[in-house]
Amino acid sequence: MLTLPSGLEQNFDNFVYKYEEAKKVEYVTSIERRGILQRSREYVVESLDVRFNHVPETVVKKIQSIDDSSLLTKLLREAILVESIEAFEKRLKKQGKH
């Protein structure tokens, strides 16, 4: 881990705060991003498991390999609405081709 001297760290914190205020955005660390992605993957798998009582390992592995939060959001909606686990698998394979 890289640390800044306390004076520079304070300057950096002030800069980030002012930037966030100006842009109305929050800074997400890479660790937080990985956590958000992992949680999104878990939501998709859990939704499928609740609906169909079983999620094939191939589907779980494919979902675990996705690093696109917008795709995971789309897949969560699909998991909630899809008529069968087989239909979800087909849609998941189709997503991989794009």
Side-chain angles (χ1 to χ4, degrees), residues 8 15 28 36 61 63 66 73:
L8 290 177
F15 171 79
V28 178
I36 291 167
K61 286 182 180 181
I63 292 167
I66 297 172
T73 299

Side-chain angles (χ1 to χ4, degrees), residues 9-95:
E9 184 175 2
Q10 183 62 43
N11 288 345
F12 179 76
D13 290 343
N14 289 338
F15 171 79
V16 170
Y17 177 79
K18 288 176 185 176
Y19 179 81
E20 288 174 351
E21 286 298 308
K23 299 293 183 181
K24 298 295 183 203
V25 296
E26 289 186 33
Y27 176 73
V28 178
T29 67
S30 59
I31 293 171
E32 290 170 325
R33 182 179 180 281
R34 283 193 300 263
I36 291 167
L37 285 171
Q38 185 56 36
R39 199 72 187 127
S40 296
R41 294 178 194 119
E42 291 169 2
Y43 289 150
V44 174
V45 173
E46 185 175 345
S47 295
L48 291 168
D49 190 50
V50 167
R51 292 212 48 228
F52 305 113
N53 297 316
H54 174 71
V55 184
E57 189 61 30
T58 55
V59 172
V60 173
K61 286 182 180 181
K62 178 66 177 169
I63 292 167
Q64 291 297 326
S65 71
I66 297 172
D67 287 328
D68 180 343
S69 62
S70 62
L71 176 56
L72 289 166
T73 299
K74 183 178 179 180
L75 290 174
L76 178 58
R77 288 186 182 114
E78 293 281 339
I80 293 167
L81 299 172
V82 73
E83 59 276 0
S84 69
I85 192 69
E86 293 80 15
F88 183 86
E89 278 186 272
K90 287 180 185 176
R91 292 178 183 175
L92 187 60
K93 287 179 183 175
K94 188 177 180 180
Q95 292 296 329

